[in-house]
Amino acid sequence: MPILDDDVTARCDFCVQRSPWLLLERTFALTDFIGCLTLFLVCAVGRDVLHAHAETPVIQDEIAVPQRLPDEVEGHLLWVPLPLAEIDDRRLRLQFQQILDISDGKSRPVIVLRFVGKPDAAAASDPAIGGLLGRGTEFERSLSLARWLVGPVGVRARSVAYLSESIEGHAALIALACEDIAMDPLADFGRAAIDEAMVDQVVIDGYLGIAQRRGAFPPDAVRSMLDRDATLHKVELVGNQTRFVSQTALEPLRQEGKVVSETQLSIPGQLGKYTGQEMRAWRWITHVARDEEQLQEILGVSRWKSNRKLTHDNPLKPALIEIRGVVSHSSVNRWLRTMNEACDVEKANLLILHIHSPGGNLAESIRMAEFLANFDESEIETVAWVDGEALGDAALIAMACDSLVLKPGSRLGGAGEATISPAMIRDEHSAWKVLAQRTNRSEGELYGLLCPELDIHEFTNPRGRIEIGDAELFQQRADFQDWQKGQKLSLASGITAEEAVRRNWASSVSPSLLTVANQWGIERLPEAKRVTSLERWIRSLADLDWLATVLLTLAMVLFTNELTTPGLGVAGFCSFLCISLFFWMKFLDGTVEWLEIILCMGGLMAIAVEMFILPGFGIFGIGGFLMLASGIILASQTFIVPSNDYQWGKLAVSIGQIAIACVGFITTVYLLRNQLEKMPFVRMLKLKPPPAEANLDSSDNLAYLVGQIGKTVSRCAPLGKAMIGDDYWNVQSHDDLLEPDTLIEVIEVRERAIYVRRVPGEAAIG
């Protein structure tokens, strides 16, 4: 056994004592390693599981819904009428503020200010000016609006100035105040001081201050638009730098030898102006766009929410129109007559439609929607306020207006009074295209709210634009292949007010009609116009009980007078007219629609009396024709008295229809006269002509006929023919109707009128 020294012995004793602890430490280390490895494997497996779950498409109605694009960008199109007036400035700020109030607050809405000219502006008609926009706008007004746009309110939205035409004058300052400027590439911008004989420093400082806030236009470029002596140059400097400087600032750069090349951009002695294409290349403006559709794609706006506004500076003249109840032919005629009178007679330029209707007739709603869409926005503006509901086809009337405001909790579209099938929608596809263009809406919005049975989906193109529509109708688009079908929309119950605003189908939600009027700067709400002044006058007559009593009394008096005189004359016709009007007032509610029916039916009855009972063409024929013509004209047009070329043309068409109908009636009666004579009723009323050899009224002195006995040869009702002696005479029955072959006695001769009566005790001989 080897002998160990003391050091080795000590180390062995230490190891023996330490070995249990070493084993325990190594055990813990191994456990930690295994735990970390297990945790790593669990995380790796969990990541794969979560990744696989994320890649699994969401199944909805057994169809994988594609990943949705981000929320739609709110795009609002406001018109800036030039030259800008105080009322335009106030309305523009009000619209801007209204858009900010209804935005969700999560993103800045895009508000495009499109500069347009007023048709009645003097600048547009002056050949020396060339029709350029902007001239005539005051600097102070432009500066005030520009400061508002760059202030705390204006910066809450992304303001974009869109110049589709050349612009000059102080309206350019409003464009400079916008965050972005988009122009037609060939349009000019500049000559801001064209209306000023001399430009003081206050004007220049105002322009430079606004341009500095936006930081897009170089100061010397702005100065060149205001000062004819400030010629602008584009300078390429050493170090590949580009600067835009005036002639004064260019000289030091030349002396320092920093100028590589220079280009003169403005003409000495003239105000500077520049094209959209040039300014885009110089990065003064952000976009060039030839039309609104191209601008829409550039800005990434899914759809414009356009507010077509008045482009004249005349004071607002509002008119409130009640659109209530079921939509029908008569109700639409009444509403159109009311609007025509408001515009033509009262010269209203703002129509506020108070709508609460379940619909009722698709064709009539389309007719009224086209009427509203055809208003010239430069003269008349329309606003719809839906109070509770505009169901079914009534939604078309609301959406055809320039602005649509809904009461909280209201419903737009969905099932209504009329049943609208998908076939009805598809058959009128061409009409939807025209109506959508005129109302500045998509086709899907219109027919999606009308027919709950249509399969409405969202469609998205590669540029992110979203539209809705029926798949079958969407396939008829030329660019159908560029659109991808997306989420299905549930419009069976229409759309709520809040959802309509979120989708930009409506402008805003307003609790009362007065609030809507206040948004347009109207402090006092006008009285509602339910009918025209003529209709109100007719209705007021129908409500007069004493007038109904007078009509009934006149009818009885005139009828009694008619019974005491031979034949039917003026008294008989007036009695017939009075009793008809009494019946209309007391039993037909005294409405204009029933008056039209009474006139038409009464006219036909009077003409029938004249044709089949009375000889010749007297008061019943003339009066009946006038009644029939009046009824047809009132029923076929929406105005009472024509006041423009269109209405005169419509009146001519109505009269032509009456003339054609009369000619057709007379021609038919003439061609079928032989068949008509054989009808029992006509044969009984028809007067038989006397024999050819008869010598009627052969003597001038007829007094000798008194007391003679004769016999009727035709029916006397009361006029007829009779044979007295050996001659035939025209006679009149004195008391009752006489049938043919009745013995008569001449009782009186008055001038050439021979009055007869039945011989007492004798009966008619069959």
Side-chain angles (χ1 to χ4, degrees):
M1 180 176 182
I3 300 175
L4 303 176
D5 56 15
D6 295 337
D7 294 336
V8 174
T9 304
R11 286 195 298 270
C12 291
D13 293 338
F14 177 77
C15 290
V16 171
Q17 297 175 0
R18 181 65 178 168
S19 59
W21 299 105
L22 285 173
L23 181 62
L24 185 59
E25 288 177 0
R26 292 176 179 177
T27 302
F28 285 154
L30 181 61
T31 303
D32 293 339
F33 174 76
I34 295 174
C36 290
L37 181 61
T38 303
L39 182 61
F40 175 78
L41 293 175
V42 169
C43 291
V45 173
R47 183 194 64 181
D48 293 338
V49 172
L50 292 175
H51 182 68
H53 179 71
E55 291 182 344
T56 303
V58 179
I59 305 299
Q60 188 178 49
D61 296 336
E62 300 182 356
I63 299 179
V65 178
Q67 184 179 2
R68 293 295 307 278
L69 294 174
D71 292 339
E72 300 180 23
V73 178
E74 297 183 14
H76 302 266
L77 189 63
L78 302 182
W79 285 18
V80 182
L82 301 177
L84 192 70
E86 180 181 359
I87 188 173
D88 305 316
D89 183 9
R90 184 171 61 253
R91 185 185 299 115
L92 189 62
R93 299 190 193 204
L94 184 64
Q95 296 167 5
F96 203 102
Q97 183 66 57
Q98 182 181 354
I99 294 172
L100 294 176
D101 293 340
I102 65 176
S103 62
D104 55 10
K106 300 178 182 178
S107 60
R108 298 169 68 206
V110 177
I111 302 180
V112 176
L113 305 180
R114 178 168 185 178
F115 291 71
V116 297
K118 298 179 180 179
D120 54 350
S125 59
D126 190 350
I129 297 175
L132 297 183
L133 300 179
R135 295 195 61 173
T137 302
E138 298 177 356
F139 166 73
E140 290 76 11
R141 193 174 309 283
S142 296
L143 179 61
S144 175
L145 182 57
R147 293 182 59 190
W148 189 84
L149 289 172
V150 299
V153 177
V155 297
R156 291 171 54 191
R158 180 187 174 188
S159 57
V160 181
Y162 177 48
L163 311 177
S164 60
E165 303 178 48
S166 298
I167 187 172
E168 60 183 21
H170 289 307
L173 182 58
I174 305 173
L176 289 175
C178 294
E179 185 174 336
D180 297 321
I181 298 179
M183 289 182 60
D184 186 282
L186 302 180
D188 293 330
F189 179 83
R191 301 207 300 175
I194 191 66
D195 292 328
E196 303 286 348
M198 294 183 60
V199 180
D200 56 21
Q201 192 60 37
V202 175
V203 176
I204 297 177
D205 291 342
Y207 272 84
L208 293 178
I210 295 298
Q212 184 180 6
R213 293 287 297 271
R214 290 306 185 187
F217 275 72
D220 285 339
V222 176
R223 191 181 297 271
S224 71
M225 303 177 190
L226 300 167
D227 188 355
R228 290 176 172 82
D229 298 328
T231 306
L232 185 67
H233 297 264
K234 177 185 177 184
V235 181
E236 300 292 339
L237 302 178
V238 177
N240 199 22
Q241 296 182 8
T242 302
R243 291 179 60 182
F244 297 89
V245 297
S246 64
Q247 181 68 34
T248 304
L250 178 59
E251 293 299 332
L253 295 176
R254 288 173 178 171
Q255 296 174 1
E256 296 175 3
K258 296 181 179 180
V259 178
V260 176
S261 65
E262 59 182 77
T263 305
Q264 182 175 313
L265 301 180
S266 62
I267 301 174
Q270 297 185 12
L271 297 176
K273 64 174 182 177
Y274 314 98
T275 66
Q277 188 172 358
E278 292 173 337
M279 292 191 292
R280 181 67 186 100
W282 301 333
R283 300 184 183 277
W284 296 1
I285 64 175
T286 51
H287 311 289
V288 288
R290 293 181 176 85
D291 50 36
E292 293 179 7
E293 184 176 356
Q294 185 178 6
L295 179 63
Q296 179 180 353
E297 296 179 356
I298 292 173
L299 298 178
V301 174
S302 59
R303 186 182 63 83
W304 291 123
K305 174 53 184 174
S306 177
N307 293 277
R308 296 183 296 167
K309 299 300 173 185
L310 299 177
T311 53
H312 60 73
D313 53 2
N314 296 327
L316 282 179
K317 295 182 179 179
L320 179 59
I321 313 297
E322 292 278 0
I323 309 295
R324 306 182 69 86
V326 176
V327 177
S328 63
H329 179 76
S330 59
S331 62
V332 169
N333 278 349
R334 183 171 65 252
W335 298 332
L336 296 186
R337 279 197 298 263
T338 304
M339 287 187 284
N340 273 323
E341 183 186 72
C343 298
D344 297 337
V345 179
E346 301 178 8
K347 304 301 180 184
N349 54 23
L350 176 63
L351 298 181
I352 303 176
L353 274 61
H354 182 185
I355 301 178
H356 183 93
S357 172
N361 191 311
L362 178 60
E364 294 301 323
S365 293
I366 292 177
R367 180 163 70 102
M368 186 164 181
E370 291 177 344
F371 177 85
L372 293 169
N374 286 334
F375 273 129
D376 186 355
E377 61 270 10
S378 65
E379 298 180 358
I380 298 173
E381 181 181 354
T382 55
V383 181
W385 183 61
V386 177
D387 179 15
E389 63 181 22
L391 306 181
D393 52 278
L396 285 179
I397 302 175
M399 299 187 75
C401 295
D402 298 334
S403 300
L404 173 58
V405 184
L406 295 94
K407 185 177 181 180
S410 298
R411 185 164 295 277
L412 187 68
E417 186 76 16
T419 300
I420 304 173
S421 64
M424 297 171 64
I425 299 295
R426 296 188 176 98
D427 290 343
E428 300 292 336
H429 188 217
S430 58
W432 298 123
K433 287 184 178 180
V434 177
L435 188 58
Q437 292 175 354
R438 292 178 178 175
T439 58
N440 197 32
R441 297 186 180 275
S442 67
E443 301 169 35
E445 293 179 39
L446 299 179
Y447 56 67
L449 294 175
L450 297 177
C451 181
E453 301 178 19
L454 285 178
D455 198 18
I456 304 297
H457 288 262
E458 285 185 350
F459 291 84
T460 308
N461 67 0
R463 294 179 295 274
R465 185 176 177 180
I466 300 176
E467 289 191 13
I468 71 168
D470 176 63
E472 182 176 338
L473 292 177
F474 218 85
Q475 290 177 358
Q476 301 182 22
R477 296 174 60 124
D479 59 345
F480 171 71
Q481 300 298 332
D482 298 335
W483 295 83
Q484 181 181 3
K485 185 178 178 180
Q487 177 183 352
K488 180 179 179 180
L489 299 181
S490 178
L491 298 175
S493 300
I495 187 172
T496 63
E498 294 71 20
E499 181 69 12
V501 173
R502 190 187 71 81
R503 289 189 171 274
N504 286 331
W505 293 4
S507 303
S508 62
V509 175
S510 183
S512 67
L513 196 57
L514 181 59
T515 307
V516 176
N518 292 339
Q519 294 177 4
W520 270 259
I522 302 171
E523 298 180 357
R524 184 177 180 181
L525 199 64
E527 183 180 355
K529 290 179 63 65
R530 297 178 178 86
V531 293
T532 65
S533 57
L534 178 60
E535 289 176 306
R536 287 195 299 271
W537 179 74
I538 293 176
R539 183 63 189 178
S540 63
L541 291 181
D543 293 336
L544 298 176
D545 292 334
W546 64 267
L547 182 59
T549 304
V550 170
L551 288 175
L552 181 60
T553 303
L554 284 175
M556 296 296 102
V557 171
L558 293 172
F559 182 72
T560 304
N561 181 67
E562 185 67 23
L563 292 178
T564 59
T565 58
L568 291 176
V570 176
F573 178 78
C574 293
S575 175
F576 168 72
L577 185 60
C578 289
I579 198 65
S580 300
L581 293 177
F582 173 80
F583 184 75
W584 163 71
M585 293 176 60
K586 304 303 292 184
F587 301 101
L588 297 178
D589 201 25
T591 63
V592 176
E593 289 77 15
W594 276 113
L595 179 60
E596 295 168 355
I597 297 175
I598 287 293
L599 290 175
C600 291
M601 298 301 296
L604 290 174
M605 292 175 62
I607 293 175
V609 169
E610 184 68 31
M611 290 182 61
F612 297 110
I613 299 179
L614 301 176
F617 193 79
I619 182 62
F620 271 80
I622 297 175
F625 177 78
L626 293 177
M627 291 176 63
L628 180 62
S630 301
I632 292 177
I633 291 176
L634 289 177
S636 59
Q637 61 191 32
T638 58
F639 53 88
I640 304 300
V641 179
S643 58
N644 54 44
D645 293 340
Y646 169 80
Q647 294 178 358
W648 279 110
K650 190 67 179 294
L651 178 62
V653 171
S654 300
I655 296 176
Q657 291 175 344
I658 297 173
I660 293 174
C662 292
V663 171
F665 175 75
I666 295 173
T667 303
T668 303
V669 172
Y670 176 77
L671 295 177
L672 301 178
R673 63 188 184 281
N674 294 330
Q675 286 75 11
L676 290 174
E677 292 176 354
K678 300 177 182 179
M679 297 176 62
F681 179 74
V682 177
R683 188 172 63 248
M684 180 184 67
L685 298 177
K686 183 175 180 295
L687 299 177
K688 295 181 180 180
E693 65 276 6
N695 182 20
L696 300 179
D697 301 341
S698 57
S699 176
D700 293 334
N701 186 8
L702 305 179
Y704 70 93
L705 294 176
V706 176
Q708 293 191 20
I709 303 298
K711 183 173 63 175
T712 60
V713 296
S714 69
R715 189 168 184 264
C716 297
L719 301 178
K721 303 291 189 278
M723 186 174 183
I724 304 174
D726 296 331
D727 296 323
Y728 290 92
W729 304 89
N730 292 316
V731 298
Q732 294 186 25
S733 174
H734 185 270
D735 43 15
D736 54 0
L737 298 179
L738 302 176
E739 298 296 333
D741 298 328
T742 301
L743 292 178
I744 58 171
E745 178 185 1
V746 179
I747 61 174
E748 181 183 2
V749 175
R750 188 183 307 162
E751 295 181 353
R752 296 187 60 83
I754 303 174
Y755 295 91
V756 299
R757 67 179 179 183
R758 189 193 308 273
V759 175
E762 297 291 338
I765 302 174

